[in-house]
Amino acid sequence: MPIDSRLQTFETTWVPRLNAPLADAIATDSGDARLAEAMSYSVLAGGKRLRPLLTVATMQTLGAPFDDQRDWRPVMALELLHTYSLIHDDLPAMDNDALRRGEPTNHMKFGAGMATLAGDGLLTLAFQWLTATDLPATTQAALVQALAVAAGPHGMVAGQAKDVQNEHVDLPMAQLRVLHREKTGALLHYAVQAGLILAGAPQTQWAPYLQFADAFGLAFQIYDDILDVVSTPAELGKATQKDAGEAKNTYPGKLGLVGANQALIQTIAQGQAALQAVPASVDTELLAAFFSYFDTKRVK
């Protein structure tokens, strides 16, 4: 499906605005030039800025203004943390990937030691950025707590651990869903949660937004699994067909391509249904438009 025009307009407006201060901000907050270069290399290597865009879209949906001085660092903290996870995931001790977004991975350019430190720097700088702001202390604390849970041993790191341990193990589908919810879904869940926190939305109103986020996170992982099978390395900017070669648990591996695509369609429908539970006075079309990232017609 083509990307929704509303989402295209949103991206055209916000991606440059989010990207513009990045290089200077990372350099300012780094005490070593080579380390700053390695950190910036991966952060600035491309990417859709999907996670901070989800945060901003959630704020806009709830009518919350975005103040560049107050909100930019807390919103972009998630992109730093996400990039750290990619750098470490690419390392020889993990997936040992040579390409990311069509360019050499961090360790291929800077060596495994500096790449590890670049990831460490981005991880810790993310939490610094959550508190380098005039936001109320209660808001800062809520963001730090939520991101620590999403990224840590109860979230993304737990999912990565399960992924490493279960290569060549045929996981039941229920366990695969848990792995994906932690490894991929946790940071996307947080992206929407951060928007709710920054907008000051009462927790009693959070449920449908977070159900949307969880459906989006699962759809993202299913689609990524599908693309690994049907895309070329040039299209993805990284090696393809690796999941099957490493005997990883994937939706196409368990359900076949057609079954995985059907699961994707069903998951998108669940996310759209979640947004329909939001009060009618709230315009959720921008959030719904994020599902247009997934081309359900790639599989015939």
Side-chain angles (χ1 to χ4, degrees):
M1 67 181 77
I3 291 181
D4 186 285
S5 60
R6 181 164 180 172
L7 182 59
Q8 282 187 321
T9 301
F10 178 71
E11 287 181 323
T12 300
T13 300
W14 279 96
V15 171
R17 184 171 172 180
L18 294 173
N19 280 339
L22 266 172
D24 288 343
I26 292 171
T28 297
D29 289 332
S30 301
D32 181 89
R34 184 64 170 170
L35 176 62
E37 183 185 359
M39 291 164 64
S40 295
Y41 173 77
S42 290
V43 175
L44 300 175
K48 297 183 288 290
R49 304 296 183 227
L50 177 61
R51 290 153 189 83
L53 285 175
L54 270 171
T55 301
V56 175
T58 303
M59 293 173 68
Q60 286 201 349
T61 297
L62 293 164
F66 184 97
D67 183 300
D68 288 274
Q69 294 299 314
R70 181 194 63 200
D71 298 325
W72 181 82
R73 273 185 168 84
V75 166
M76 290 304 289
L78 178 55
E79 192 69 12
L80 300 187
L81 195 142
H82 169 60
T83 304
Y84 123 77
S85 75
L86 300 181
I87 294 173
H88 281 199
D89 197 41
D90 289 336
L91 286 168
M94 298 288 283
D95 285 353
N96 195 25
D97 280 319
L99 284 178
R100 168 74 66 177
R101 295 168 178 162
E103 299 293 336
T105 49
N106 200 288
H107 70 271
M108 295 296 291
K109 185 171 178 66
F110 295 94
M114 185 59 74
T116 302
L117 292 172
D120 293 343
L122 290 169
L123 167 61
T124 48
L125 185 58
F127 288 97
Q128 179 181 323
W129 279 14
L130 289 179
T131 56
T133 172
D134 291 332
L135 286 166
T138 53
T139 302
Q140 295 179 36
L143 291 169
V144 168
Q145 169 70 13
L147 184 55
V149 171
H154 194 68
M156 181 185 67
V157 174
Q160 291 282 24
K162 289 182 176 69
D163 196 31
V164 168
Q165 293 174 84
N166 288 292
E167 289 182 11
H168 305 283
V169 175
D170 186 16
L171 282 180
M173 184 60 76
Q175 292 184 35
L176 180 59
R177 289 194 189 98
V178 172
L179 187 160
H180 285 167
R181 184 173 69 243
E182 294 171 343
K183 179 182 176 182
T184 302
L187 291 191
L188 291 165
H189 178 102
Y190 169 81
V192 173
Q193 185 179 5
L196 294 166
I197 292 169
L198 288 165
Q203 289 194 26
T204 54
Q205 299 176 8
W206 286 14
Y209 296 98
L210 296 181
Q211 289 164 8
F212 152 76
D214 291 339
F216 185 86
L218 179 56
F220 187 92
Q221 182 61 61
I222 296 171
Y223 192 57
D224 190 64
D225 287 352
I226 291 171
L227 291 180
D228 185 69
V229 178
V230 304
S231 300
T232 66
E235 287 176 312
L236 286 191
K238 61 180 180 179
T240 57
Q241 311 274 339
K242 285 198 69 181
D243 292 338
E246 296 171 358
K248 289 196 174 185
N249 289 276
T250 67
Y251 271 73
K254 288 192 166 298
L255 303 176
L257 274 174
V258 173
N261 200 57
Q262 187 58 40
L264 173 62
I265 292 169
Q266 292 171 351
T267 303
I268 291 170
Q270 290 167 3
Q272 291 169 333
L275 290 176
Q276 290 173 5
V278 172
S281 59
V282 179
D283 181 1
T284 60
E285 287 186 7
L286 177 58
L287 290 175
F290 276 78
F291 284 118
S292 68
Y293 276 124
F294 310 125
D295 182 1
T296 58
K297 300 188 184 305
R298 286 295 298 263
V299 177
K300 304 299 183 182

